[in-house]
Structures are given as structure tokens and as C-alpha cells.
């Protein structure tokens, strides 16, 4: 048997994500600027004026030309004035009054600040961009003759059987058809504990195979895989902006114009009103120009938002936009669908009331009857017993009623609902009927197991609540949230699950349009988060201020959601809101600090108490400070 080994997968090291071309160029230019600055002062010390002017010209070229090009491009292409223009004008203004050294200091610190900002912002993008490196270039496909052939990613198609060895990543979403292993899903879900996989279990593209060799049947093309969708989600998230970010960007242009126009006013007042010499008045105007520049105000919000989105992505909580992050911080109404959101989304046999014999005998017989049925209730009953079962033949499924079969001794056995009992001419004793009704009132879907005309046991099947749901709901309540359940399921079932997880406000038996209308009504009362994972939840997810979907949800719900929880754990939603609130606090602090520096230092600059180099330090230091404060959100934990 021949084997084609998967070629090595090129990966970008973490330092490559941080040290981008932009960052390296920024530090190189700031280094050249510093060399010209220091050399110019040294040449002046030895009265080498020609050399000093040449070195300062080098500093101006290295530190100023990139900013001048950027400012010109912004002016021509976007018709917008930005802070780069302010810095270039201030540096040239300082040189025009014989303070070229101060101008060189300004350009050095400005270029260094830009390089540091780029490096810091790349840190916030690193956790998000790491998703892009998870896709292997291809996979080994099992051929009909038993050999393997390596195929590139875009050549994989549903039905292909992939052979995945220890240490390899899964190239597509699929189902394990042979073998046992453990899978590291931390890159997608944030869950550090590997998940055991056996035949029939799903695996997702980009996750890492552990210790076993498994064969996986591809379920969907690589372009439609979970990882591919997440990458598209992340790309759209990076391009989107929150309301605060959009305000800061709109603020930058008019504010820059105002600062530029204020410089001549400051000069005129200082020269003509207070009698300063023209050179001194112009120097003061240039100092104010630097101090009043809005760099820190503009960067304050994206530094925090991108850091928060990176922290969320690393923990398996993917925001599609900064607007979703901002809205989640204010959310005070949380609305949950039931099936697959508050519950596991699959039926389980949770109660057996024995009327004859033992519970083990009843479970074994029921499993033997139901083992070939594909109905969810039948599968729940069959999967509840892993021991030997009696041989049942002539199995016949009666649609909407149940299943009938025959034992080896000719005894007819059956499992079904009241309609099946009626068709068989069986009437339950009053005490058994009352017990069955009590089970239904508890929210259970019931079936009766019997042989010939005698009931043997009552079976109660239900979709069980998620283990963490009650804890997550309690946390949301402690944070002051109003929690509601909207479901299309029966009222008794809905109220039973709601009681288990701690929700008192329940609306059941709703159609998708009913859910949509309810969400619209709730939005008039507060900021609404809708959590769901089904096709029928998509309209409500779109209508809510923040739509949240589990990664295991339908494709439509994933498209409609603003936040995707990669691990099906509602505690991640609580953590995501805590992250959103921390982000809102950080943005508020950053904006307050940035504006405070402008007001306080600007006032001292107008009074002539701040020389240009100190104004540059205050301006650039404040800019770097708000970036570093935003970076603190990278350490925020979004865990269960």
C-alpha cells in the first residue's frame, strides 16, 4: 500500500505577525531620524554648521517625508486633513524660526510613536490573524484501492475519506468513520482540554488531531467549513467600526482643520496683543499645534476595541463588529431560544416508570424494539441502554404512533403513544393514566412500552438543560439583566426547562414571526440580546441589538448573529458581556485622558509654559499610553 505524506505546512511565527513590514519600516525610519537628530546636535557643538544642517535635513526627510506622503494622499484621495499634516506643519514651522532641532525631535518622537502604535495594534490582531494559519494546505484522501493521495484544500469534496494522523489538522468539517482519538479544539473554542472522538462524532476544520489515526468523511467543501466562515467573519469584523470609532474618525477631520486655523490666531494674539517677537509667537503657535493634535483621541477607541476582539477570539467568542461589542456592553435584556441553546438539543430517556418486571428488563426491551428506528425519540430510548437486548423481529414503524415487533417466542411487543394504544385496542388503568399525565405535565414526551395487551413501563423522554445554563442565567441576573425564554415548543415543556435554569418569564408555542414581533417590542424597553441556534431564530437574531449564535447552530443563524460562541457554553456569553463592559470602561478612560491632556497641556502651551520638545513628549506619550491601556484588554479572560 502506497502512502503520500502531507507536505509541510508553512506557518507564520508569532514574531512575523508582530513585526510586519510597516512596523519594521517605522522603526528603521525613526532610527535614521534619531541618528540625524543626535548627529546634528553633536555637529553644532563643534560648530560644524554645514554638517549640522545636512544631518537635520536627514532627520526631516526620514521622519517627515512618510507623514507628508500620507497626509497628501489623505487630502487628495479622501479629501481629509489628518494629524500627519499637523506634525509636518509644526516641524517646518519650528525650523522656520531657527528651531530645527526641536522640529527634528518632534518628527523622531512622532515616527517612533507611529511604529510603536503599529506594533501594539498588531498584537491585538495576532490572536485574530492566527485563525488564518489553521487551515492546512490539503489532506491525504483514501482511494478505493486502499492507497492515499494528497489533495489540495480546494479539491476536497463531500464524501471524501480523509486519513488524519497524530499532529495533523483536520482540513474540512466531517464525521469520524473509523478510529479513536482526542482533538485539540482550543484554537476555535478556547477550550484547553482535548475532546475525545469516536466513530460518528463530528470534527471541525482547523482543529488538531491528538494521539490516534482516524478516517474522516468530508461533510462540506473546505470553502464552507466552520473555519472558513470564521475567517470571513473576522475579516468583516476588522473592517467594521463601532459608533464611538465612527465618531472619532468624523471628529478627526474637522478638529484638524480647527487646530490648523487656530495656529495663526495664536500667533496673532501672542504677537500683536501680548507683544511677543514674531519668532517667539510663531514658536508658541507651533507648540500649541503639536499639543492640540488629536492622535490619542483617534486611536483611543480602536486600540481598545481591537484588543477586546482579539481576547474574545482567543477564548472562542467571535464578535462580528465593534458595534456588537459596544451594544453588548449596554445590554440589559437577554432573550434565549430553548432547543439547542438552553438545552442540549438532543432527546434523552430521563424517566422510566416500571409497571411489570425490572427497570433493566424494560430498558433492554425498549432498546431492542427501537434500535433500527431513526426517529429522535426512538434513538433516545435505544441509546439509553448499552447492554444486550432481546431479539425483536418483524419490526414495523407506525408513522406518528410508534413501533411494533415480535419476540422469538411470538409475543408482540410495542413502544408508542396514546394513538398506538388506541389502534391496538389497549386502555390504560386509571392510576397508570394519571401517572402518564403527570409525566407530561412535567414537560416530558411520553411513550408506553408493552407486550401483547399489557403495559410494562412508562418512558419519559426530554431534551435536557445544558449543565452550565442555570449558572450562566444566575450570573446574568446578578449583572442586572432581565432574562426571557422565547420558544416554539409546548408550554409545559418550556416551563419545565425554564424552571430548571432559573427563568421566570416564558413565552411558548411561538412561530418565527411571533419571536420577531416580541423582539421588536422588547427593544422599546432596553438593549436586547437574542441567543439562538436554529433556522427559525434567524429573523429574531437579525432584529435584536445583538444576535448570538452557538457555533453548532444552523448556517443561517451563524450568518445572522453578531457574536458567535465557538464553544457551546453559555458562560462564554457572560464572559463576553464582561469583556464588552471592560472595553466600554477602557474607551471612556482613554477618551477622557486624551482630551484631558489636550486641554491641560494646551492651556500651558498657550501661556508659553511648555516648550516644543515637552509638548511633543506630552502628545506622543499620551498617544502611546492610550494604546497600552487598550492592550491591557488582551489579558482579559473570557472563560467559563
Amino acid at each position: 500500500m502506497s502512502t503520500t505524506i502531507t507536505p509541510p505546512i508553512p506557518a507564520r511565527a508569532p514574531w512575523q505577525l508582530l513585526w510586519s513590514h510597516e512596523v519594521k519600516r517605522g522603526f528603521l525610519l525613526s532610527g535614521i531620524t534619531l541618528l540625524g537628530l543626535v548627529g546634528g546636535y553633536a555637529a553644532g557643538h563643534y560648530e560644524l554648521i554645514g554638517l549640522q544642517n545636512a544631518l537635520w535635513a536627514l532627520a526631516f526627510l526620514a521622519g517627515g517625508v512618510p507623514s507628508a506622503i500620507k497626509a497628501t494622499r489623505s487630502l487628495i484621495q479622501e479629501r481629509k486633513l489628518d494629524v500627519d499634516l499637523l506634525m509636518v506643519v509644526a516641524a517646518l514651522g519650528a525650523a522656520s524660526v531657527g528651531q530645527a532641532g526641536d522640529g527634528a525631535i518632534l518628527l523622531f518622537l512622532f515616527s517612533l510613536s507611529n511604529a510603536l502604535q503599529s506594533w501594539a495594534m498588531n498584537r491585538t490582531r495576532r490572536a485574530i490573524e492566527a485563525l488564518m494559519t489553521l487551515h492546512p494546505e490539503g489532506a491525504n484522501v483514501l482511494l478505493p484501492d486502499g492507497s492515499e493521495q494528497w489533495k489540495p484544500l480546494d479539491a476536497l469534496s463531500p464524501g471524501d475519506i480523509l486519513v488524519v494522523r497524530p499532529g495533523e489538522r483536520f482540513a474540512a468539517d466531517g464525521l469520524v468513520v473509523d478510529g479513536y482519538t482526542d482533538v485539540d479544539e482550543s484554537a476555535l473554542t478556547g477550550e484547553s482540554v482535548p475532546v475525545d472522538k469516536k466513530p460518528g462524532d463530528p470534527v471541525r476544520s482547523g482543529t488538531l488531531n491528538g494521539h490516534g489515526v482516524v478516517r474522516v468523511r468530508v461533510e462540506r467543501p473546505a470553502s464552507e467549513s466552520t473555519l472558513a466562515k470564521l475567517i470571513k467573519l473576522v475579516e468583516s469584523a476588522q473592517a467594521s467600526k463601532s459608533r464611538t470609532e465612527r465618531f472619532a474618525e468624523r471628529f478627526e477631520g474637522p478638529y484638524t482643520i480647527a487646530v490648523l486655523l487656530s495656529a495663526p490666531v495664536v500667533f496673532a494674539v501672542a504677537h500683536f496683543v501680548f507683544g511677543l517677537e514674531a519668532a517667539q509667537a510663531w514658536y508658541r503657535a507651533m507648540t500649541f499645534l503639536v499639543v492640540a493634535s488629536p492622535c490619542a483621541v483617534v486611536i483611543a477607541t480602536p486600540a481598545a476595541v481591537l484588543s477586546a476582539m482579539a481576547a474574545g477570539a482567543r477564548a472562542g467568542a467571535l464578535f462580528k463588529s465593534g458595534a456588537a461589542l459596544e451594544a453588548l456592553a449596554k445590554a440589559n435584556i437577554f432573550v434565549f431560544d430553548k432547543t439547542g441553546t438552553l438545552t442540549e438539543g438532543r432527546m434523552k430517556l430521563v424517566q422510566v416508570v416500571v409497571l411489570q418486571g425490572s427497570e433493566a428488563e424494560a430498558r433492554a426491551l425498549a432498546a431492542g424494539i427501537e434500535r433500527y428506528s431513526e426517529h429522535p425519540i426512538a434513538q433516545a430510548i435505544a441509546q439509553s441502554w448499552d447492554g444486550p437486548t432481546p431479539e425483536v423481529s418483524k419490526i414495523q414503524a407506525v408513522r406518528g404512533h410508534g413501533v411494533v415487533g415480535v419476540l422469538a417466542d411470538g409475543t408482540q411487543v410495542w413502544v408508542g403513544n396514546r394513538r398506538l394504544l388506541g389502534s391496538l385496542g389497549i386502555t390504560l388503568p386509571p392510576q397508570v393514566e394519571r401517572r402518564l399525565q403527570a409525566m407530561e405535565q412535567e414537560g416530558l414526551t411520553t411513550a408506553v412500552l408493552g407486550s401483547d395487551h399489557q403495559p410494562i413501563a412508562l418512558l419519559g423522554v426530554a431534551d435536557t438543560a445544558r449543565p452550565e445554563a442555570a449558572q450562566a442565567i444566575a450570573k446574568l441576573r446578578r449583572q442586572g439583566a432581565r432574562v426571557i425564554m422565547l420558544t416554539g415548543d409546548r408550554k409545559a415543556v418550556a416551563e419545565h426547562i425554564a424552571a430548571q435554569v432559573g427563568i421566570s418569564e416564558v413565552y411558548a408555542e411561538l412561530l418565527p414571526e411571533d419571536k420577531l414581533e416580541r423582539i421588536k417590542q422588547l427593544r422599546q424597553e432596553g438593549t436586547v440580546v437574542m441567543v439562538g441556534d436554529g433556522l427559525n431564530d434567524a429573523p429574531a437574531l437579525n432584529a435584536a441589538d445583538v444576535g448570538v449564535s452557538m457555533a453548532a447552530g444552523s448556517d443561517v443563524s451563524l450568518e445572522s448573529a453578531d457574536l458567535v460562541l465557538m464553544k457551546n457554553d453559555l458562560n462564554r456569553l457572560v464572559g463576553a458581556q464582561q469583556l464588552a463592559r471592560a472595553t466600554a470602561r477602557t474607551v471612556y478612560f482613554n477618551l477622557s485622558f486624551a482630551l484631558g491632556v489636550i486641554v491641560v497641556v494646551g492651556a500651558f502651551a498657550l501661556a508659553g509654559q511648555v516648550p516644543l520638545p515637552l509638548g511633543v513628549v506630552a502628545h506622543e506619550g499620551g498617544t502611546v499610553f492610550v494604546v497600552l491601556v487598550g492592550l491591557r484588554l488582551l489579558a482579559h479572560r473570557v472563560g467559563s
Side-chain angles (χ1 to χ4, degrees):
M1 182 184 295
S2 62
T3 300
T4 304
I5 303 300
T6 306
I9 301 169
R12 296 171 66 191
W15 66 267
Q16 290 177 305
L17 295 171
L18 288 176
W19 295 93
S20 63
H21 174 71
E22 180 185 10
V23 172
K24 288 187 285 189
R25 184 184 65 180
F27 279 114
L28 174 63
L29 291 176
S30 63
I32 295 173
T33 307
L34 178 62
L35 179 65
L37 170 64
V38 175
Y41 275 115
H45 179 73
Y46 293 103
E47 298 184 356
L48 301 174
I49 305 304
L51 179 60
Q52 181 185 51
N53 290 336
L55 289 170
W56 275 346
L58 174 65
F60 269 69
L61 289 172
V65 169
S67 293
I69 292 174
K70 183 180 176 183
T72 303
R73 184 183 298 119
S74 178
L75 187 60
I76 294 175
Q77 296 180 355
E78 304 176 27
R79 297 182 179 180
K80 184 178 72 173
L81 298 176
D82 58 21
V83 292
D84 292 85
L85 179 62
L86 292 181
M87 295 301 101
V88 172
V89 169
L92 293 175
S96 69
V97 294
Q99 301 294 331
D102 288 353
I105 291 173
L106 165 61
L107 292 175
F108 162 66
L109 289 176
F110 185 62
S111 61
L112 179 62
S113 173
N114 281 337
L116 288 172
Q117 286 176 44
S118 297
W119 177 84
M121 297 307 285
N122 281 350
R123 279 202 64 193
T124 70
R125 295 187 181 99
R126 181 171 59 174
I128 299 176
E129 290 180 1
L131 282 174
M132 315 299 179
T133 69
L134 296 181
H135 254 322
E137 292 188 337
N140 291 317
V141 178
L142 186 67
L143 301 180
D145 63 2
S147 63
E148 298 174 23
Q149 179 184 5
W150 188 86
K151 285 187 178 181
L153 199 63
D154 56 5
L156 300 179
S157 57
D160 284 346
I161 303 298
L162 310 183
V163 180
V164 187
R165 294 177 170 80
E168 295 179 346
R169 291 193 181 275
F170 294 95
D173 290 0
L175 292 177
V176 177
V177 295
D178 183 50
Y180 295 82
T181 189
D182 55 281
V183 177
D184 180 358
E185 299 181 341
S186 59
L188 295 185
T189 67
E191 177 57 60
S192 58
V193 179
V195 181
D196 292 333
K197 298 291 182 179
K198 63 183 184 302
D201 287 343
V203 293
R204 288 186 282 187
S205 58
T207 56
L208 184 66
N209 188 24
H211 297 89
V213 179
V214 290
R215 295 180 180 181
V216 175
R217 184 178 68 245
V218 177
E219 294 292 304
R220 62 179 75 186
S223 61
E224 299 176 9
S225 69
T226 301
L227 182 58
K229 290 177 180 176
L230 295 182
I231 290 173
K232 292 177 184 177
L233 183 155
V234 167
E235 288 172 343
S236 65
Q238 289 179 320
S240 67
K241 301 188 184 296
S242 69
R243 184 182 305 172
T244 309
E245 287 179 279
R246 292 194 298 270
F247 168 77
E249 289 188 350
R250 290 195 299 269
F251 165 83
E252 179 184 6
Y255 182 82
T256 300
I257 295 173
V259 171
L260 280 172
L261 294 177
S262 69
V265 174
V266 173
F267 167 78
V269 171
H271 181 55
F272 296 109
V273 177
F274 293 99
L276 293 182
E277 294 182 3
Q280 289 179 310
W282 186 244
Y283 184 81
R284 185 173 296 187
M286 293 302 99
T287 302
F288 177 76
L289 198 69
V290 171
V291 171
S293 174
C295 288
V297 175
V298 173
I299 199 68
T301 301
V305 169
L306 279 176
S307 295
M309 291 173 69
R314 189 171 57 223
L318 296 185
F319 289 92
K320 285 188 180 180
S321 67
L325 188 71
E326 191 172 61
L328 185 59
K330 301 183 293 184
N332 59 347
I333 301 175
F334 284 77
V335 180
F336 291 86
D337 175 48
K338 181 185 72 69
T339 306
T341 303
L342 291 170
T343 68
E344 296 281 4
R346 59 181 184 272
M347 305 296 278
K348 291 182 180 179
L349 180 61
V350 296
Q351 190 174 132
V352 178
V353 178
V354 179
L355 305 176
Q356 293 183 36
S358 68
E359 181 174 335
E361 291 173 337
R363 285 179 177 270
L365 178 58
I369 301 171
E370 299 279 31
R371 60 183 173 177
Y372 297 114
S373 175
E374 296 182 355
H375 192 280
I377 295 177
Q379 290 182 342
I381 293 172
Q383 292 170 4
S384 69
W385 178 256
D386 56 5
T389 61
E391 187 64 33
V392 182
S393 60
K394 299 181 181 179
I395 294 177
Q396 180 182 3
V398 183
R399 186 176 180 85
H401 291 64
V403 180
V404 178
V406 178
L407 294 176
D409 62 3
T411 303
Q412 184 185 52
V413 289
W414 42 267
V415 178
N417 55 27
R418 284 190 175 84
R419 288 191 294 272
L420 179 64
L421 297 178
S423 66
L424 296 175
I426 300 171
T427 302
L428 296 177
Q431 66 273 21
V432 176
E433 178 64 35
R434 286 194 295 271
R435 186 68 186 92
L436 193 64
Q437 291 176 359
M439 292 171 66
E440 291 171 345
Q441 290 172 359
E442 293 173 8
L444 302 179
T445 299
T446 58
V448 182
L449 168 68
S451 63
D452 289 333
H453 284 72
Q454 294 297 317
I456 295 174
L458 307 181
L459 309 177
V461 177
D463 181 9
T464 57
R466 289 185 180 277
E468 82 288 352
Q471 181 187 37
I473 298 302
K475 289 179 181 177
L476 289 174
R477 288 190 179 282
R478 286 197 295 271
Q479 292 176 187
R482 175 185 173 190
V483 184
I484 301 168
M485 178 196 289
L486 300 183
T487 180
D489 211 337
R490 292 180 293 119
K491 184 176 181 181
V493 175
E495 291 180 343
H496 179 68
I497 294 295
Q500 289 183 356
V501 300
I503 297 178
S504 57
E505 193 171 350
V506 180
Y507 300 92
E509 301 177 15
L510 301 178
L511 296 174
E513 54 267 33
D514 298 326
K515 290 185 179 182
L516 176 61
E517 189 59 35
R518 182 68 62 176
I519 292 294
K520 290 180 178 178
Q521 293 172 2
L522 290 171
R523 287 193 66 187
Q524 298 176 7
E525 303 173 31
T527 303
V528 178
V529 174
M530 171 68 192
V531 189
D533 72 335
L535 181 64
N536 64 341
D537 295 321
L541 290 173
N542 271 318
D545 294 286
V546 183
V548 182
S549 176
M550 306 289 196
S554 69
D555 291 346
V556 176
S557 69
L558 290 175
E559 291 291 333
S560 303
D562 302 298
L563 169 63
V564 177
L565 303 179
M566 291 309 303
K567 183 184 177 185
N568 293 327
D569 181 354
L570 292 175
N571 281 307
R572 298 296 168 98
L573 174 61
V574 180
Q577 189 185 38
Q578 292 170 345
L579 172 63
R581 289 181 171 179
T583 305
R585 291 193 298 268
T586 300
V587 168
Y588 177 79
F589 172 82
N590 275 355
L591 290 175
S592 300
F593 175 83
L595 291 171
V597 168
I598 290 175
V599 171
V600 174
V601 182
F604 280 100
L606 288 174
Q609 301 300 310
V610 177
L612 182 58
L614 184 57
V616 170
V617 170
H619 171 266
E620 300 303 332
T623 303
V624 173
F625 177 74
V626 298
V627 171
L628 294 177
V629 171
L631 284 177
R632 291 175 63 248
L633 290 168
L634 285 172
H636 191 98
R637 295 179 62 86
V638 188
S640 53

